[in-house]
Amino acid sequence: MSGMTSAPLITPNELQKRLGEGRLRIVDATVHLSFDADGAHVASGRDTYLQGHLPGAVFLDQITELSDPNGEAPFAAASSEKFAAAVGAAGIGDDSTVVVYDTVNGIWATRLWWQFGLEGFDDVVVLDGGYGAWVAAGLPTETGESTYPAATFTAQRRPERIFSTDEVVAATADSSVLLVNALDRESFAGGHIPSSVNVPFGELVDESGSLKPLEELRGLFADAGALDPSVRPVTYCGGGIAATAAAFALKALGRDDVAVYDGSMNAWTADPDRPLASAESRS
């Protein structure tokens, strides 16, 4: 978005003024995550999309279309080819301006924002506060499906934006890399990758789900050491989703060198021999 000098965000009112622009593509990135005694479960957000979405928004299914079922962990990023085919089929091309949002807590929108950046595409912003903020502003919604003619999307992978488990193993002994765990403080205290610091994704947004002011974010990340120019932040979480919210906030603070450990704790703990550190919870 031209003219946006700070966070890669757009407010509902700013977006409403741009509805109908020919190159604009709004994407509902919702995934529903739930937990029970058997662990975590993900479900497509397509049904909630059909029940209500922003005008002209398309739906991209991050579970089936944008992840790799054979990857290191359940939500591994899809190959460049698979990603390009999915977004192109949805009508997103090299000349599109993309706005992503979700109807839950924002981390699915930042996940898709990160994946676009991973594939070399930067004309993408997140709707601040998501669907909830749009509805709260009294703006119109639609039901059913929106479609566009297929477009050509050229993926140009930036391998430096994504870390594998082997790279993280090396990073634990490398003082120039700072591992940033984006899970809540209780989960972090219960076990994390050695040498990590903790900046919980839930502390990056306010009660309404909008990103906190940059000065507040700056304080959070500075306290954790993640703004130190001599280190490179690598964010992670449980499954590689909330980690992108931390990467997004760091980008808003001007860091262009952040990587995401895509496998996160799911991949790290798959080998019981890998070490875990624990800490007293500060709550």
Side-chain angles (χ1 to χ4, degrees):
M1 294 271 172
S2 57
M4 294 204 58
T5 51
S6 55
L9 281 171
I10 190 168
T11 67
N13 287 322
E14 286 169 341
L15 178 56
Q16 199 230 354
K17 295 188 182 103
R18 301 189 61 161
L19 292 181
E21 286 185 10
R23 298 189 329 195
L24 184 71
R25 294 291 180 268
I26 304 171
V27 182
D28 185 323
T30 303
V31 176
H32 297 292
L33 178 66
S34 59
F35 297 91
D36 62 19
D38 297 324
H41 305 274
V42 292
S44 170
R46 185 174 290 280
D47 286 348
T48 44
Y49 161 80
L50 293 172
Q51 290 159 22
H53 57 79
L54 267 63
V58 297
F59 180 78
L60 278 172
D61 192 325
Q62 298 197 69
I63 303 171
T64 58
E65 296 180 313
L66 303 183
S67 63
D68 175 8
N70 302 312
E72 256 197 333
F75 243 94
S79 68
S80 297
E81 294 75 18
K82 185 175 177 181
F83 182 88
V87 300
I92 298 166
D94 295 338
D95 65 343
S96 297
T97 288
V98 178
V99 178
V100 291
Y101 76 90
D102 66 41
T103 63
V104 278
N105 57 5
I107 62 175
W108 300 100
T110 59
R111 172 73 184 186
L112 185 48
W113 165 86
W114 170 76
Q115 242 179 312
F116 270 110
L118 176 67
E119 300 302 347
F121 183 88
D122 293 317
D123 198 356
V124 54
V125 293
V126 171
L127 177 64
D128 199 14
Y131 187 74
W134 181 269
V135 172
L139 297 171
T141 59
E142 294 177 346
T143 57
E145 187 132 28
S146 298
T147 57
Y148 294 91
T152 300
F153 182 92
T154 309
Q156 295 174 304
R157 174 69 61 102
R158 292 169 170 145
E160 70 276 7
R161 298 266 180 111
I162 186 168
F163 261 47
S164 67
T165 298
D166 288 344
E167 289 172 302
V168 172
V169 170
T172 60
D174 182 350
S175 60
S176 72
V177 177
L178 182 68
L179 295 169
V180 180
N181 180 310
L183 293 172
D184 62 90
R185 297 193 184 277
E186 189 179 355
S187 299
F188 178 79
H192 54 265
I193 300 170
S195 80
S196 304
V197 297
N198 188 204
V199 182
F201 80 91
E203 296 180 20
L204 305 176
V205 294
D206 62 20
E207 295 75 28
S208 71
S210 296
L211 198 68
K212 284 182 177 174
L214 293 185
E215 281 312 307
E216 282 186 52
L217 296 179
R218 189 168 281 115
L220 277 172
F221 284 103
D223 288 349
L227 299 184
D228 180 345
S230 72
V231 299
R232 177 167 184 225
V234 176
T235 64
Y236 75 97
C237 54
I241 309 300
T244 64
F248 181 83
L250 281 163
K251 170 71 173 172
L253 293 170
R255 293 221 66 152
D256 294 317
D257 58 344
V258 182
V260 169
Y261 173 24
D262 198 29
S264 283
M265 289 291 282
N266 285 340
W268 185 264
T269 57
D271 179 350
D273 290 336
R274 278 193 206 107
L276 283 175
S278 58
E280 293 290 317
S281 178
R282 291 194 286 168
S283 58

